[in-house]
Amino acid sequence: MTTDRLTIIPPGHPLAGRVSPPGSKSITNRALLLAGLAKGTSRLTGALKSDDTRYMAEALRAMGVTVEEPDATTFVVTSSGELKPPAGPLFLGNAGTATRFLTAALALGRGHYVVDGDEHMRKRPIRPLVDALRSLGVAIEAPTGCPPVTIDATGAFAENGVVIDAGLSSQYVSALLMAAACADAPFEIALAGADIGARGYIDLTLAAMRAFGARVEQPTPASWRIAPTGYTATDFHIEPDASAATYLWAAEVLTGGKIDIGTPAGEFTQPDAKAHDVIAAFPSMPAVIDGSQMQDAIPTIAVLAAFNDKPVRFTGIANLRVKECDRVRALSTGLNNIRPGLAAEEGDDLLVFSDPALAGQSLPAAIDTFADHRIAMSFALAGLKISDITILDPGCVAKTYPDYWDALASLGVQYKAG
């Protein structure tokens, strides 16, 4: 997408057809790292090829891992099992998974590493993970509490256990879990407090680790015991991205159409698949929606809620303020740009004052996406029912769904560029 503005033309008919969502970003970046930590050759099929996974693959290549791409959905990863110090900083754009996962993994490397990102990543917190690694004797610095992170690693942890504050992100726990299997002794991870963002992503991490030969036990809901197995190269298939599927589920109910995405909702293992039941209830979605365990689906549901038959309050979404942008603010700003008073923030809750009569109106609005792929893709849904919705920086969808605009076009959606 080369244009800097894209205006959606409401199709005026139900959207119907078949669209295959790309592979899961969350699972692809976990599998890439685990394959890079495994000795031998792994074949990852069904993978996502996007900005986020490209940054992970390039980082692995910079550390001596061979990553081949024989087709559009496959990575073939060959590694010695060691991530060697790169010639320069590892640039990871705004890929939170790549940044956090690699930070922990490199703490068990040998040598000097710098993990960095773009201006947006440099605002995303990583201090809880850095503090946890420092408590393990790792020489690690992140002066701002966000990237860049500098690591001087000796190949081992000084302790066999750690307590981590995962209130801001479950990615901190996933990062430590994946690294811990490469430690030289059994390792225990415990939560500081009961709060954890999107616990379902921990299950994704554990499933991927076990597929690559790790052994993990969970003595309590807030602790894990990881055996020092290292990882074994394997062939691994990646399921479609549930977060991407939410846009298609929403487009289907919003237009009264029928979109076949090729995978039944019940077959997804990702947390955002929980959004399917909420979306399927449209136009009578619940008055209160807890987004804590399906965080990446909330932008989709929030825009859909503008057309619901009653107002919706979104709770449990404080973590959305530290994603690629402050998504709570971006959603309220975009909705109020469509019509003043359509949304409000109360603390970290988002209120959407639904109005089914929005459909069919012309409400010219230029949506600032804040370079956030999920803001761009979710507000495109509003353009299916309201005329003159313009998405700024539409190319930002390349972060996780490079073919998004083509996918909607294949269902009959048209655009005006510029």
Side-chain angles (χ1 to χ4, degrees):
M1 182 62 60
T2 56
T3 183
D4 61 356
R5 301 168 63 91
L6 199 68
T7 300
I8 317 298
I9 300 174
H13 58 78
L15 296 185
R18 175 158 185 159
V19 174
S20 297
S24 165
K25 176 202 74 172
S26 300
I27 300 177
T28 298
N29 264 354
R30 284 163 171 79
L32 278 169
L33 176 60
L34 297 176
L37 294 171
K39 187 174 183 178
T41 297
S42 301
R43 186 176 185 88
L44 313 180
T45 56
L48 171 66
K49 303 289 182 76
S50 73
D51 288 351
D52 275 21
T53 60
R54 190 174 303 111
Y55 285 128
M56 177 66 93
E58 288 298 327
L60 293 174
R61 290 181 179 118
M63 293 183 288
V65 177
T66 299
V67 183
E68 300 172 292
E69 302 183 40
D71 59 50
T73 60
T74 302
F75 288 107
V76 178
V77 182
T78 303
S79 178
S80 66
E82 178 184 358
L83 301 181
K84 299 174 183 177
L90 299 171
F91 180 77
L92 297 167
N94 195 14
T97 51
T99 299
R100 286 142 180 182
F101 296 169
L102 279 169
T103 294
L106 298 180
L108 281 174
R110 292 183 182 275
H112 180 75
Y113 307 85
V114 177
V115 177
D116 201 359
D118 64 17
E119 60 180 310
H120 305 287
M121 194 68 230
R122 287 187 169 194
K123 297 176 183 176
R124 299 180 67 182
I126 200 168
R127 186 178 300 281
L129 179 58
V130 169
D131 288 347
L133 292 169
R134 188 178 290 122
S135 76
L136 295 171
V138 178
I140 182 169
E141 298 293 336
T144 68
C146 303
V149 182
T150 301
I151 307 162
D152 288 289
T154 61
F157 290 150
E159 305 289 339
N160 293 328
V162 69
V163 176
I164 178 72
D165 181 349
L168 280 177
S169 178
S170 65
Q171 290 176 8
Y172 304 149
V173 179
S174 287
L176 289 167
L177 282 165
M178 288 187 285
C182 297
D184 55 11
F187 193 87
E188 294 194 8
I189 298 171
L191 294 181
D195 290 342
I196 182 170
R199 183 178 284 271
Y201 284 102
I202 302 297
D203 297 332
L204 290 187
T205 301
L206 296 176
M209 289 173 63
R210 287 167 176 145
F212 282 84
R215 296 199 308 272
V216 186
E217 300 174 353
Q218 190 166 1
T220 73
S223 65
W224 296 264
R225 185 177 298 121
I226 307 97
T229 55
Y231 293 107
T232 302
T234 191
D235 292 344
F236 186 82
H237 183 70
I238 294 155
E239 70 183 49
D241 192 279
S243 305
T246 65
Y247 310 115
L248 301 170
W249 292 333
E252 179 180 69
V253 300
L254 192 56
T255 66
K258 184 65 175 176
I259 302 173
D260 178 7
I261 66 170
T263 303
E267 292 185 8
F268 286 92
T269 64
Q270 300 154 72
D272 279 356
K274 295 180 175 68
H276 180 267
D277 289 347
V278 177
I279 292 170
F282 180 83
S284 298
M285 295 191 298
V288 178
I289 295 175
D290 179 356
S292 61
Q293 300 305 312
M294 51 179 181
Q295 295 175 11
D296 284 346
I298 293 306
T300 306
I301 303 172
V303 173
L304 186 62
F307 304 91
N308 201 47
D309 62 9
K310 58 180 174 290
V312 179
R313 176 185 290 269
F314 293 88
T315 65
I317 59 172
N319 287 4
L320 267 65
R321 293 199 183 275
V322 292
K323 294 288 188 176
E324 282 81 341
C325 72
D326 180 342
R327 286 181 177 161
V328 179
R329 179 60 46 82
L331 286 166
S332 65
T333 299
L335 289 168
N336 286 324
N337 199 9
I338 293 173
R339 192 187 70 188
L342 188 53
E345 299 173 51
E346 287 189 0
D348 289 322
D349 288 1
L350 176 68
L351 280 71
V352 180
F353 300 103
S354 312
D355 182 2
L358 290 170
Q361 295 190 41
S362 175
L363 298 170
I367 304 298
D368 188 341
T369 62
F370 301 92
D372 189 325
H373 56 133
R374 302 217 180 278
I375 299 303
M377 290 187 280
S378 59
F379 273 98
L381 298 169
L384 299 180
K385 302 299 287 187
I386 299 172
S387 296
D388 298 312
I389 299 295
T390 299
I391 307 300
L392 304 181
D393 188 19
C396 68
V397 303
K399 188 174 192 296
T400 55
Y401 199 163
D403 296 330
Y404 180 68
W405 303 115
D406 290 338
L408 290 185
S410 75
L411 297 169
V413 179
Q414 296 181 327
Y415 315 105
K416 290 186 293 187

